[in-house]
Amino acid sequence: MKNQISLFLTLLLCFALASCGAKQPEQIADDFDLAELSNPFIGKWQSDIPSAGMTLIFDYKADGTFDYEMVGVPAEEGGVGSGGYVVYDNIQVTWLDFEGAAAYTFEVADNDTINVTELEPNDSGELVPGNTAPFTRVEGSEVNKKDTLFSLNNPLIGKFGATIPDEGTWTFEFRTDGSSEFVLADVLAEQGVAPGCYVVFGDKLAVYMTFGGANYLKAYSFAVADTDTLTVSELAPNETGELVPGNTLPFIRVAE
């Protein structure tokens, strides 16, 4: 009986060793690269924001909106809310009602980290780099691996014309992918074109543009007068920093 038990254990051990040595199915390599996505921000990210002096959690959506949470700030005190954003090359432009328009450059460090640099206007209004903060993926949150392009739907999509005092007549084109192009009439093509991107959130418009070799960020409010006319007002900070309307102009839709 003892010999039979020993033989059974020996066979069992040999089977176990053979199983361990058997070739296992090959694991599929995860070759996902966040840097290859046109919009790497889709998903949940958190960061210590230097200008805000606090930790924020952002949930970026594919439709050009995001939700945010200020860690430690109660909801009834403004600790949660929503905003609008767009990604254009390595530029992110956002709109928040308590902050207004903001622009950033960014660089994907790895699949869970994006380094984001604030762009701040200098004395002449040109945007220059400011503080940099890493955005880290919220642990356990869903990872978007699909290259998702913006497909915006707002009243500005199309081409509009407007004459701005002391500047001339402009054509403004707003596209569904969040890009934009402004053209100043009667100016050489290379000098009179201002490419960039835009964000619409509610009745607010933020525009990032490159013109004359420099980058600028503008803020506006708008109202729909009819299917072919928008009433657009410049927004500028007053003495207390509150955004208030300035010059107001009609934007007339240009027939394609």
Side-chain angles (χ1 to χ4, degrees), residues 82-206:
S82 300
Y85 82 108
V86 72
V87 173
Y88 171 75
D89 292 336
N90 70 325
I91 300 294
Q92 185 198 59
V93 178
T94 66
W95 177 275
L96 283 167
D97 285 338
F98 69 84
E99 181 183 51
Y104 311 85
T105 60
F106 66 87
E107 180 180 12
V108 174
D110 55 50
N111 285 348
D112 296 309
T113 312
I114 306 175
N115 292 322
V116 178
T117 300
E118 297 174 325
L119 294 176
E120 303 170 343
N122 59 18
D123 292 340
S124 61
E126 300 176 15
L127 295 177
V128 295
N131 295 316
T132 299
F135 277 42
T136 56
R137 192 183 302 280
V138 173
E139 186 176 356
S141 62
E142 183 178 356
V143 178
N144 172 62
K145 299 181 180 181
K146 181 180 179 182
D147 191 24
T148 304
L149 302 177
F150 285 98
S151 182
L152 305 181
N153 182 17
N154 60 68
L156 281 83
I157 291 172
K159 288 185 179 181
F160 295 85
T163 300
I164 300 177
D166 301 324
E167 290 189 21
T169 299
W170 287 82
T171 298
F172 304 95
E173 181 177 2
F174 301 95
R175 306 184 182 112
T176 57
D177 65 357
S179 65
S180 60
E181 184 175 83
F182 300 169
V183 179
L184 180 59
D186 302 324
V187 176
L188 293 176
E190 293 183 358
Q191 298 176 340
V193 177
C197 59
Y198 74 103
V199 173
V200 170
F201 188 70
D203 64 345
K204 301 301 190 297
L205 167 67

Side-chain angles (χ1 to χ4, degrees), residues 126 210-216:
E126 300 176 15
T210 299
F211 188 69
N215 302 318
Y216 300 92

